[in-house]
Amino acid sequence: MAYMKLPQRIAFRPVVVAAMAAFAAGCAKEDRQMPGPAPAPAHAVLALEHQVDGQDFRYDTVQYTNEAGQVYGITHLEYYLSQLTLAGAAGTPDQVIPGPWYVNGMNANRFDLGPLPAGTYTGATVQLGLPPALNQTGALPGTLENLLMAWPAPMGGGYHFMKFEGHFLLNGQPTGFAMHLGRDENLVHCTMQQPFTLAGAKDTLVLRFNLNEVFRSPHTYDLTTGNQSMGSMALMGLLRDNCADAFTLEHRP
Ligand SMILES: [Cu+2]
């Protein structure tokens, strides 16, 4: 449903801007006599960062070690986030920003959250994946990135929630792995327990994804027994559980 509004908004914005410009031009002289309009509230930004247990996120270097002791490297990382919820405290209302946001490790991954009220927050939650209403073939706009995230119709349709791919060393040989996550049952409800305070101005919320958490807690994921997760509800269930604590959130003034 929400996606239906987007093209409309884009289509009408130039008209609105043009109308406002015409209005402003026509009234310019009069405006000078009056107090200026209140400045538009500054927008907050969501900025994604990736790392592996404190090590920098780099493609194509087999340098990381997962919980099972397997040495691996990353070649591909894409996922969706949705339903960011900031838990307000001390009179600050909860803030729910539905998204969704498409994240690619190759991109800058900075997203406009709109204006957010100043106040204290006890933490936040976010979904790794798409809500059921959007997890249906054709529910997202037909951009190349969305089409490439499609979940095959014979397997239920919708979209991949995450594609996390690379190589790990198996008996010294680089061996491919593909951690693909999808299906409504595997939508990940991530919890970030870090409290933070928003100034209500140009706030930046940094959401950091530690990729080693995909392979850790509560399940130690063994790539030698499951290097392709797609098509296995059991393997995807492990990834879903593990990813619930994979993100941390930090306010950067
Ligand atoms: Cu897949």
Side-chain angles (χ1 to χ4, degrees), residues 2 46 48 78-86 95-103 111 113 124-135 140 146 149 159-162 181 183-184 186-192 207 247 249:
L46 179 67
L48 267 294
E78 287 178 283
Y79 56 95
Y80 291 106
L81 295 173
S82 58
Q83 204 70 12
L84 175 66
T85 302
L86 312 181
Q95 298 297 317
V96 181
I97 309 106
W101 302 281
Y102 164 81
V103 182
F111 306 106
L113 295 179
T125 58
V126 74
Q127 291 176 165
L128 174 57
L130 297 167
L134 292 181
N135 190 31
L140 294 180
N146 288 334
M149 289 293 271
Y159 297 90
H160 285 74
F161 295 162
M162 177 175 73
L181 187 65
R183 308 297 303 274
D184 290 347
N186 298 316
L187 180 60
V188 189
H189 301 276
C190 305
T191 304
M192 292 80 74
L207 189 57
F247 290 86
L249 188 66

Side-chain angles (χ1 to χ4, degrees), residues 156-201:
Y159 297 90
H160 285 74
F161 295 162
M162 177 175 73
K163 293 181 183 179
F164 170 30
E165 301 173 8
H167 297 94
F168 71 108
L169 296 181
L170 180 60
N171 303 320
Q173 293 300 312
T175 305
F177 72 82
M179 299 295 99
H180 287 197
L181 187 65
R183 308 297 303 274
D184 290 347
E185 299 92 320
N186 298 316
L187 180 60
V188 189
H189 301 276
C190 305
T191 304
M192 292 80 74
Q193 298 185 331
Q194 300 76 31
F196 57 92
T197 301
L198 294 186

Side-chain angles (χ1 to χ4, degrees), residues 137 150-158:
T137 299
W151 194 263
M155 297 177 74

Side-chain angles (χ1 to χ4, degrees), residues 27 29-37:
C27 302
K29 200 170 183 187
E30 210 172 324
D31 278 352
R32 262 181 231 123
Q33 315 298 328
M34 298 163 69

